[in-house]
Amino acid sequence: MRQLFFLHKLLRLKRHVYLDHNATTYVSRRVRQTMQRVLSTSYGNPSSLYNIGRKSAEIIETSRQYVADAIGANASEVFFTGCATESNNAVLQSLARQFYPRKKKIISTPVEHSSVLNTLEFLKKQGITIQYCPVDRYGRVLPDELKKLIDDDTFLFCCMLANNEIGTIQDIETISMIAKQNSVLVLSDCVQALGKIPVNVHAMGVDYASFSAHKLHGPKGVGAIYVKEGSPFTPLIHGGHQENGMRAGTESIHNIAGFGEACKGVAKLLAHSEQIARKKQYLIDHLKKIEPQCRIISPDTGSLPNTLSCRFPGMENAALTAALDHNGIAVSTGSACTTHDYKPSRTLVAIGLSEKATRETIRISLDKTTSYKDIRYTLHVIQRFLKNSDSTIKIVPPTRIDEKFLYSNQTCVVDVRPQFLRKKTKGFPNSHVVSFFSIQHYLHQFPKDRDILLFCQHGNLSYAAAWYLKSKGFHKISSLQGGIIGWKIRHHELYKKLLENNMPRVTNETRGNI
Ligand code: PLP
């Protein structure tokens, strides 16, 4: 293994190992071919009555049947959406509109995906009561706690089938039964489950379920909702009569065809589960060997075969993921949908990890294409990093950043926030703007001989960016503690004063000199 590693280095070959299949998956060849065919030949509008339109409509109906077969539903219970985020929004918002103010309460879990949690926060502002059912140390719903929370005001219980970060599988049948006994509807986010474990929405006893094509080798930009025959639902998007009046807008035929094709392959994906689980176990065994302190967060049983959440006490996950990235290995620190502000994972906090522990945890998610060679290479890079990881990143407290500092030429100050956060809160005058998400294109502009201070909204993204730059050979890096928000709290007057002439030197990732 070691020889292979040095050979790769010598030849400057970069090995690419993708271990983030819960974030998204590559589009399979069969799906690509189907989509290509549809894109080339089926351009008719499915709502048109002539032949080419009818052909497009037929493609949609065939795909609907494939999705229904994969999830154990009737085709008439499946509706296509733009993504699973939309599916979750559509159900939650539809039911809130339908029941409020007759009934006001939704119960959910604290380990849901942000497409559920943030929608619930939105509904809370509209007057809906939101309660979260306590979970055990693996994120499993405690049925007795759920029973205690359900009352006459409750109209919905929302619980994912499999967790995207730690892989925990919920006992949905039991949970649904409790809800049903109390005339409460159930929504289950099945996004991470489909293609990894068997899914049968009828057997689960849920009223609604959400799915996304890109998690099972389908395209991005298409999802589905299962709405049980007879369950209430009003559309989120109004307009034409598409999707039987459940979701307006001309259908994305090639994406839907791709989703159908991906669902056709679900049985084949499931056939790989055991083999993937064995690879995960191999990874766990060797991680414990190379780092006895390593703590496995995912449950031993009752978890997705491909998902491993593990913690390296004392090791910043931002540092480790940056080092892995530098060696061509993609793993994540948690859900892809929460990376923009790099906040501590809500799931990990909910299962009892301290904020520090959440920052020492990474998620590795395998797939049938992950080889033992990939795993051994990853283990080798982790081992090397744990042995050699030197210093830490310098964290600068907000009190150290005053007006003199900001206008001096000693330090290069860089705003690494994505644009939407820069719009929300103005940054320092004289700062350069290089979003972390495009930082790789601007490395040549960062000075190696000057101090570089990175800042973001709350101090987390800049910290991750600092580790990334360090992995690229920049050593005079520091990160502003608490970000611009933390600084603003401590320097309120100065922030107001500077805001008036806030003109970043380099805006919108232009190619000015840093
Ligand atoms: N629910 C879960 C559990 C997920 O993991 C994801 C994606 O990461 C989503 C919902 C959102 O899916 P989409 O990307 O289709 O909006």
Side-chain angles (χ1 to χ4, degrees), residues 22-24 82-86 88 112-116 160 162-164 189-192 210-215 221-223 335-337 363:
N22 284 11
T24 195
C83 56
T85 298
E86 184 193 320
N88 287 332
E112 299 299 305
H113 185 261
S114 54
S115 58
V116 166
M160 64 195 345
N163 186 271
N164 47 311
D189 176 336
C190 298
V191 169
Q192 291 292 342
S210 48
F211 300 92
S212 182
H214 74 96
K215 305 289 180 175
V222 59
S335 162
C337 295
R363 175 186 73 182

Side-chain angles (χ1 to χ4, degrees), residues 323-395:
L324 288 165
D325 182 28
H326 185 65
N327 286 282
I329 303 164
V331 304
S332 72
T333 52
S335 162
C337 295
T338 54
T339 40
H340 274 71
D341 206 21
Y342 197 67
K343 285 186 179 145
S345 149
R346 286 184 276 199
T347 295
L348 297 180
V349 170
I351 62 168
L353 268 69
S354 66
E355 195 174 322
K356 178 174 177 289
T358 68
R359 299 208 189 286
E360 296 168 344
T361 302
I362 60 166
R363 175 186 73 182
I364 301 176
S365 45
L366 317 177
D367 161 77
K368 65 178 180 357
T369 56
T370 309
S371 66
Y372 281 101
K373 232 183 206 175
D374 292 337
I375 295 175
R376 282 194 288 271
Y377 173 63
T378 305
L379 286 163
H380 176 74
V381 174
I382 292 177
Q383 185 175 29
R384 211 166 43 118
F385 178 74
L386 293 177
K387 220 195 258 171
N388 302 333
S389 71
D390 47 2
S391 52
T392 50
I393 294 287
K394 196 166 122 198
I395 304 290

